[in-house]
Amino acid sequence: MVKWSDFERATIADIFSKIDTGAVGCAALSRCLTVYPWTQRYFSKFGNLSSPDAIASNPKVAAHGKVVMGGFEKAAKNLDDIKNSFRDLSVLHSEKLQVDPDNFKLLADCVTIVVAGQLGKAFTSEVHAAFEKFLAVVVSSLRKQYY
Amino acid sequence: MVEWTDAERSAITTLWSNIDVGEIGPQALTRLLIVFPWTQRYFGTFGDLSTASAIAANPKVASHGKVVMGGLEIAVKNLDNIKNAYAKLSVMHSEKLHVDPDNFRLLAECISVCVAAKFGPSVFTAGFQEAWQKFLAVVVSALGRQYH
């Protein structure tokens, strides 16, 4: 089981209390599709993804970003059992959506960049370390049911 | 050879002209040592790295961060030939310093986070992030090139 220090628990709760998960989710997914363009292959039904502006203003990207970030919020509320709470999501991503799990890290990196941009100086190295650990646990849990 | 669009060249040079190497370099190296603590093993001679505050206040970390960030200048000025421009640095990191090249990617991530935190999303747009991370990926690849 993952062990969280009091500082890490407080930091993760604090980040989620400060961010607009819908806005962060939309920005992170947009950035993922822009910075790592091969990820667009999973969203062929989303319409126009032909340029950074098209992606950033695409309503399906925004809606889906919100859904994805909702998943991260669920993890934040279940810090002591992310692995089990993500079991069904992991099966969904591997068996139905067939997402290459390497892409989870790429989206996680984009979430980090968006949160860093929003929090600025408040995203200190210690806060970053706690958030990075949280995202690594989420990514690992999403990967777990692949084999 | 790496192909750069005009937009990417412009994004990279714009970001670079606004980056204070003396500010971002120390921040990025400090962040690396705190967020990815195993990287401290390469800095055994740097003195006190025992806590986040110690790392943030360590003068050797600060001055080395500046050196490393300054090394990116070579890449910015040689966008069309980063591989060759970094050949000697790559040999040094593999044969003399014995740095696991996975760590270059981690430092690149820390640099991007520092840049994102400093400039905010209206400057560090998705388009700028794409160009900047592509640039850092090419640098990381060039640094890893002489390993085998």
Side-chain angles (χ1 to χ4, degrees):
Chain A
M1 197 184 96
V2 181
K3 290 190 158 43
W4 303 97
S5 68
D6 291 341
F7 173 80
E8 285 164 345
R9 287 180 195 274
T11 297
I12 292 159
D14 190 54
I15 289 172
F16 276 89
S17 75
K18 285 192 165 105
I19 60 174
D20 172 348
T21 48
V24 168
C26 169
L29 186 58
S30 298
R31 273 176 198 262
C32 189
L33 296 169
T34 302
V35 179
Y36 311 109
W38 59 87
T39 56
Q40 292 170 27
R41 71 180 295 281
Y42 297 108
F43 301 100
S44 52
K45 298 191 209 135
F46 273 29
N48 187 2
L49 299 177
S50 59
S51 69
D53 288 336
I55 292 168
S57 55
N58 185 311
K60 289 188 172 183
V61 172
H64 194 67
K66 201 169 164 180
V67 164
V68 168
M69 206 61 199
F72 282 95
E73 206 165 16
K74 178 175 161 180
K77 292 189 158 72
N78 286 281
L79 279 184
D80 292 310
D81 202 17
I82 295 176
K83 191 171 80 186
N84 284 326
S85 65
F86 266 51
R87 187 191 307 273
D88 289 344
L89 270 174
S90 183
V91 170
L92 171 73
H93 282 76
S94 67
E95 297 189 9
K96 185 164 177 253
L97 304 174
Q98 293 170 327
V99 179
D100 182 339
D102 286 346
N103 293 311
F104 301 149
K105 174 82 173 78
L106 301 182
L107 179 60
D109 285 350
C110 288
V111 172
T112 302
I113 292 280
V114 170
V115 170
Q118 204 177 316
L119 298 182
K121 285 202 172 79
F123 198 65
T124 62
S125 300
E126 295 98 304
V127 167
H128 179 180
F131 197 57
E132 184 86 23
K133 175 174 167 178
F134 167 71
L135 291 176
V137 173
V138 170
V139 164
S140 165
S141 301
L142 264 175
R143 293 184 79 116
K144 198 128 183 84
Q145 300 301 324
Y146 270 69
Y147 333 99
Chain B
M1 198 184 96
V2 182
E3 305 273 344
W4 303 100
T5 64
D6 291 341
E8 285 168 342
R9 284 180 198 274
S10 168
I12 293 160
T13 48
T14 300
L15 278 171
W16 185 252
S17 70
N18 286 304
I19 284 172
D20 176 351
V21 157
E23 181 194 8
I24 301 286
Q27 277 178 9
L29 187 59
T30 297
R31 210 166 267 266
L32 177 78
L33 297 169
I34 291 169
V35 179
F36 308 108
W38 59 87
T39 56
Q40 293 170 26
R41 71 181 296 282
Y42 296 107
F43 302 99
T45 55
F46 273 29
D48 189 1
L49 300 178
S50 58
T51 65
S53 320
I55 293 169
N58 186 309
K60 288 188 173 183
V61 171
S63 74
H64 194 65
K66 202 170 161 180
V67 163
V68 168
M69 198 73 189
L72 282 180
E73 174 108 13
I74 302 169
V76 174
K77 292 195 152 64
N78 288 280
L79 277 183
D80 292 309
N81 200 3
I82 294 177
K83 190 171 78 183
N84 285 329
Y86 267 53
K88 290 205 174 97
L89 270 173
S90 182
V91 169
M92 180 176 87
H93 282 77
S94 67
E95 298 188 10
K96 187 169 173 247
L97 304 174
H98 299 300
V99 179
D100 183 330
D102 283 347
N103 293 310
F104 302 149
R105 194 181 39 82
L106 300 181
L107 180 57
E109 202 180 300
C110 289
I111 291 171
S112 294
V113 168
C114 289
V115 168
K118 166 102 186 155
F119 293 119
S122 53
V123 170
F124 198 59
T125 59
F128 267 38
Q129 183 187 341
E130 186 273 332
W132 182 248
Q133 289 196 206
K134 175 176 169 177
F135 166 68
L136 289 179
V138 172
V139 168
V140 163
S141 168
L143 263 175
R145 203 161 175 78
Q146 302 300 325
Y147 272 67
H148 355 235

